[in-house]
Amino acid sequence: MSLVRRATSTTAGKILAFFGVSALAGLLVAGLFLPLAVTGGATAATGQKMIEEFPAELREEPVSVPSRILAEDGTELATFYAENRKPVELDRISQNMQDAIVAIEDERFYEHGGVDPQGVGRALVTNVSSGSQQGASTITQQYVNNMLINADMLRGEERLTISGTKTYADKLKEMKLAVSVEQDLSKEEILEGYLNIVLFGGRNYGVEAAAQYYWGVSAAELDIAQAATLAGIVKSPSGYNPETNPEASVQRRNVVLNSMLEQGKITEQEHEQATGAELGTDIHRESTGCISASQAPYFCDFVTHEILSNEAFGPDAESREQLLNRGGLEITTTLDTGLQGRAQQSVEQTVPAGDPSGAGASLVTVEPGTGNIKAMAQNTRYHPEEDADAGNTMLNLNVDAAQGGGNGFQGGSSLKPYVAAAWLESGRSMYDMVDASQDHWPQGSEFQASCLEGGSVAIPDEDGWKVNNVIDDMKREMTADFGLYWSINTVMVNMAEELDLCDITDVSTRLGVHRADDGEPLNPANPSFILGSEEFAPMTQAAAYAAFANDGEYCAPRSLLSVKDTNGKEYDVGAPACEQALDPEVVAQLNESLTNIAHRNAGEANQPAAVQDLPMGGKTGTNNSQSSTWYIGYTSGLSTASWVGNYTGLKSLAEVPVNGTEHEDFWGSTLAGPQWFDYMGEAAQSHPAEEFRTPRDSPFEDPGSRDRYATGGDGTEPGNEPERPGDAAESTPDNPEADTPSDAGPSTAP
């Protein structure tokens, strides 16, 4: 069985009892390791007893192997490693390499049983006569030593048994284990294991990684000079590194070549050619981490946060990070590379990275019915050196603070569907009339909130709460459907006054809606949440709207499909976490309004007929300062949140050139909407987009007809489409140029 496989699980396997080394104890303590005994603090007289107490088996720890994050189709996104290693079997390592390492490190490797008596004797004489320390380690002992180092690293132990820091007790333990290893493994298995674990300079562990790093060739292709160079590095991985110390590396290489010639591994001619050869290094640096991801670096970052926060991968963050960097994990994710590429193209077309406006643009797609995150893109560059002018940031615009994001963005009118859903759950209809004439709630006005102490919330501000609309002549009676379609603020607040605020927040909580900064659900003590004053991550909104696409079933966003290590061990990543959040009939009525909104926006964005005909729903949103704009939309197969705004503050993007174009007003339909259609118009062609459920009771012969939205609001008589500035889907609470107050309504309970 290959040692590559064995070394990642039970390296020494069932090692037999130790024989032979005990007889050397007196000699070793008396002479060979006398200097070590003095500096190491151990007593020579106890050598025999110490040997008997040493373990006869290597600790069973996996060899450090890089982990890989993969897209759903197996495309590699990124690798993570503490040690750059690519284990290979012995038959994939050139004979030149095998000969070179044996010639310089252990010329009697195939003759001894783990400890070389001749080497020990030579070291004894040298140490006694000169007072220096010569270790006489065989390849088997070095293999054992490296396995002990590996175990110490995984266990977080600070004192490692590395060359130059060993006590004589370390050396005796190493020798005992070497003899045991020789009884359990073949010479070929030991040599294979050694060549896969030893350090060859920098972070290159193992001969395959080293060959690829220094020359861009495989271990099987190493010629005599290259093999001798690598074999020479082992004695001093830093001192003989051909990249950083080429002259010393050449000198050491030639020492190896001399040994190979003396032992008959190469001919005189081969020796002459190799010693005269240039190093010829051609450095191929290995990338590691999300900074070097082939695509979707912010999604990669999100996945690493998922691994580091999940107890399935270890009891604490430190152990999980060790596993990620050393455990050889194969992490298969939900990412769709096709959708990701399209999403990235869309955000960069909307706002190029480093645009003088400083605007950010993002897209995140969640699959209804599973919660699988299919795409996560933004227009910034993933870079540790924060530079807003250059568009560099590690901040993930799509996710919560705990997942690598910030504090989120005010949602604006994108919160209104949650109010409408609570309206429907109360037994009312989207066709019920709402008196939207009231636009001011004086100090002391109460909103019912049964889940709070006292059962209500009072407006605390001396001037009360003033709510306005963008569209003129909308402070009147109209259907809830009409009010949602035109995003009328006074309709939503008057609807909420008829409801219990806790029922609205109960709906949003069931849909997974929560603050981005602390993960807390919406607070009914702040009625301004009705109009989107709270801050959310785009992924939260995409997942919530995905429930509208799937008859009210909410599925928590997920990024992991499977995780397994090099031994085939599979980690529990969980199945899709879904639950019925809304009644399908409630969703059917809500979808009737939201699909009409989506189709109107598609027409206004001059989308082709194929896009305008898609079964889809959606809603825009804009915050009070016009610094955060949204379009969240969905088909039966994909739910996507599109966001465009200022991610460094609340500075308005109105009258600011964004991608070279200045907009008098900056609404959700200005760029976020077109960005959504640019992306989803193509994405929906390759993913399911089926018709939504039709509501049971509708006063309209054709629930999908939008004629009724050009009426007085009662859906019975024809009229004219309302005059509206900027974004037809927006209205405002207290500012005629936006739709969400940054601080509207009461901020605390009475």
Side-chain angles (χ1 to χ4, degrees):
M1 180 176 66
S2 168
L3 191 61
V4 175
R5 295 189 294 273
R6 300 186 65 160
T8 58
S9 55
T10 56
T11 307
K14 298 179 180 178
I15 303 181
L16 302 176
F18 165 66
F19 296 103
V21 176
S22 297
L24 296 173
L27 177 63
L28 293 173
V29 173
L32 179 57
F33 295 103
L34 183 57
L36 293 175
V38 172
T39 59
T43 302
T46 62
Q48 180 69 40
K49 182 178 180 181
M50 291 175 62
I51 290 178
E52 292 172 353
E53 293 176 351
F54 291 150
E57 294 186 1
L58 287 179
R59 283 171 288 183
E60 298 178 358
E61 300 288 359
V63 172
S64 177
V65 177
S67 295
R68 301 189 302 151
I69 293 181
L70 311 176
E72 186 178 26
D73 62 3
T75 300
E76 184 176 297
L77 302 179
T79 60
F80 293 79
Y81 60 80
E83 301 173 0
N84 181 27
R85 178 181 283 110
K86 298 177 175 64
V88 291
E89 297 185 358
L90 193 62
D91 60 6
R92 294 175 58 193
I93 301 173
S94 75
Q95 190 62 48
N96 294 324
M97 187 67 223
Q98 297 179 46
D99 290 342
I101 201 70
V102 170
I104 195 62
E105 290 297 320
D106 189 359
E107 62 182 288
R108 285 176 293 279
F109 171 67
Y110 291 102
E111 302 167 15
H112 62 66
V115 177
D116 181 10
Q118 291 186 48
V120 170
R122 183 179 64 248
L124 173 61
V125 172
T126 301
N127 290 356
V128 171
S129 63
S130 67
S132 63
Q133 298 179 26
Q134 184 172 340
S137 290
T138 64
I139 282 178
T140 310
Q141 288 173 254
Q142 292 182 49
Y143 170 64
V144 166
N145 183 47
N146 277 276
M147 290 302 293
L148 293 175
I149 292 172
N150 180 73
D152 286 342
M153 287 289 290
L154 288 179
R155 293 170 183 237
E157 298 177 14
E158 295 194 5
R159 189 188 70 79
L160 307 179
T161 53
I162 56 177
S163 177
T165 66
K166 296 177 190 174
T167 66
Y168 81 94
D170 292 329
K171 191 70 178 180
L172 295 176
K173 177 170 64 174
E174 176 188 292
M175 296 174 77
K176 178 175 181 178
L177 289 170
V179 172
S180 297
V181 167
E182 288 271 357
Q183 295 176 15
D184 186 59
L185 303 177
S186 69
K187 290 290 187 179
E188 288 72 20
E189 288 176 316
I190 294 169
L191 184 59
E192 177 185 300
Y194 174 75
L195 288 172
N196 277 299
I197 197 172
V198 72
L199 174 61
F200 287 100
R203 290 206 290 178
N204 302 303
Y205 288 78
V207 65
E208 178 70 15
Q212 291 189 15
Y213 181 85
Y214 292 119
W215 296 288
V217 300
S218 70
E221 300 173 293
L222 288 168
D223 62 28
I224 294 172
Q226 292 167 340
T229 301
L230 291 185
I233 295 174
V234 171
K235 183 177 182 181
S236 177
S238 176
Y240 296 131
N241 187 319
E243 180 181 14
T244 57
N245 294 303
E247 291 184 5
S249 180
V250 169
Q251 292 175 1
R252 178 63 179 171
R253 177 200 68 183
N254 291 345
V255 171
V256 176
L257 290 170
N258 291 341
S259 294
M260 293 178 73
L261 178 62
E262 291 172 3
Q263 296 171 38
K265 302 299 183 183
I266 56 175
T267 65
E268 289 279 1
Q269 183 179 0
E270 290 172 330
H271 176 267
E272 182 178 351
Q273 291 176 343
T275 54
E278 298 289 336
L279 278 175
T281 52
D282 179 16
I283 303 300
H284 291 66
R285 302 189 188 284
E286 289 288 335
S287 58
T288 180
C290 297
I291 191 69
S292 301
S294 61
Q295 63 172 316
Y298 293 97
F299 176 78
C300 172
D301 185 82
F302 175 78
V303 171
T304 62
H305 277 83
E306 291 287 281
I307 295 290
L308 297 180
S309 64
N310 192 332
E311 292 183 357
F313 303 104
D316 52 51
E318 184 179 357
S319 62
R320 296 165 202 153
E321 187 172 13
Q322 284 274 24
L323 179 65
L324 178 63
N325 289 325
R326 301 175 65 89
L329 300 181
E330 182 178 279
I331 304 166
T332 303
T333 69
T334 58
L335 192 78
D336 183 313
T337 54
L339 291 178
Q340 177 64 31
R342 187 73 190 95
Q344 190 62 41
Q345 182 180 10
S346 293
V347 297
E348 291 177 0
Q349 287 177 345
T350 300
V351 186
D355 189 74
S357 65
S362 71
L363 285 166
V364 59
T365 297
V366 173
E367 183 178 57
T370 65
N372 290 347
I373 303 167
K374 310 301 289 185
M376 183 181 289
Q378 63 189 63
N379 69 320
T380 58
R381 300 183 185 92
Y382 186 82
H383 200 283
E385 296 180 4
E386 296 284 333
D387 185 344
D389 292 338
N392 295 345
T393 183
M394 301 286 279
L395 185 72
N396 189 334
L397 303 181
N398 282 303
V399 302
D400 293 343
Q403 300 163 328
N407 293 331
F409 311 103
Q410 290 181 327
S413 291
S414 65
L415 271 289
K416 290 174 180 175
Y418 310 142
V419 179
W423 176 265
L424 291 168
E425 284 196 337
S426 72
R428 296 173 173 85
S429 167
M430 291 301 292
Y431 320 122
D432 289 346
M433 302 301 292
V434 179
D435 183 359
S437 61
Q438 183 174 356
D439 63 358
H440 181 253
W441 283 261
Q443 184 181 32
S445 299
E446 293 190 350
F447 287 75
Q448 184 180 356
S450 59
C451 60
L452 300 179
E453 184 178 355
S456 65
V457 174
I459 303 297
D461 300 332
E462 183 177 351
D463 296 332
W465 186 18
K466 178 69 174 178
V467 177
N468 287 313
N469 302 316
V470 165
I471 304 174
D472 292 335
D473 194 30
M474 285 293 176
K475 295 176 182 179
R476 55 182 171 80
E477 194 173 47
M478 63 188 69
T479 64
D481 171 57
F482 186 91
L484 180 60
Y485 183 86
W486 291 116
S487 201
I488 308 301
N489 283 344
T490 55
V491 168
M492 289 297 134
V493 178
N494 279 284
M495 287 169 64
E497 190 176 25
E498 292 188 44
L499 300 170
D500 186 319
L501 296 184
C502 296
D503 290 341
I504 301 174
T505 57
D506 181 55
V507 166
S508 61
T509 299
R510 277 182 271 139
L511 292 172
V513 178
H514 59 271
R515 292 174 53 86
D517 57 353
D518 57 14
E520 292 295 315
L522 295 180
N523 187 354
N526 301 305
S528 60
F529 80 82
I530 297 164
L531 302 176
S533 62
E534 296 281 16
E535 298 173 321
F536 313 98
M539 188 170 72
T540 296
Q541 297 267 62
Y545 275 57
F548 303 153
N550 195 42
D551 288 335
E553 182 185 50
Y554 170 76
C555 299
R558 63 194 295 260
S559 63
L560 303 178
L561 291 179
S562 68
V563 178
K564 59 184 179 181
D565 63 19
T566 53
N567 298 316
K569 174 185 175 181
E570 296 193 8
Y571 293 81
D572 182 12
V573 299
C578 303
E579 59 182 18
Q580 195 68 35
L582 298 174
D583 184 272
E585 181 59 25
V586 167
V587 175
Q589 279 205 48
L590 184 59
N591 276 341
E592 184 182 337
S593 300
L594 296 179
T595 55
N596 287 329
I597 292 172
H599 285 103
R600 187 195 73 229
N601 277 275
E604 292 176 348
N606 297 316
Q607 294 298 308
V611 176
Q612 295 194 42
D613 292 341
L614 280 173
M616 58 184 172
K619 184 70 183 76
T620 52
T622 308
N623 76 334
N624 191 51
S625 64
Q626 297 188 47
S627 64
S628 173
T629 69
W630 302 74
Y631 186 85
I632 309 165
Y634 54 91
T635 65
S636 62
L638 300 171
S639 177
T640 297
S642 172
W643 180 88
V644 178
N646 189 334
Y647 64 91
T648 61
L650 294 175
K651 182 180 178 181
S652 175
L653 290 174
E655 300 183 343
V656 174
V658 178
N659 197 9
T661 301
E662 185 176 310
H663 303 273
E664 182 178 356
D665 291 300
F666 204 79
W667 311 103
S669 60
T670 303
L671 290 181
Q675 177 175 269
W676 188 93
F677 286 107
D678 177 68
Y679 163 66
M680 282 288 286
E682 181 175 318
Q685 305 302 319
S686 58
H687 289 75
E690 300 173 358
E691 295 289 344
F692 301 122
R693 178 194 295 262
T694 301
R696 285 195 302 266
D697 301 314
S698 173
F700 304 104
E701 185 174 328
D702 178 11
S705 171
R706 293 184 291 282
D707 291 342
R708 64 183 182 274
Y709 298 117
T711 72
D714 59 7
T716 58
E717 297 181 6
N720 297 316
E721 187 174 282
E723 291 291 333
R724 61 193 189 282
D727 185 350
E730 301 303 327
S731 49
T732 182
D734 60 359
N735 182 327
E737 297 181 348
D739 79 332
T740 302
S742 58
D743 185 19
S747 58
T748 58

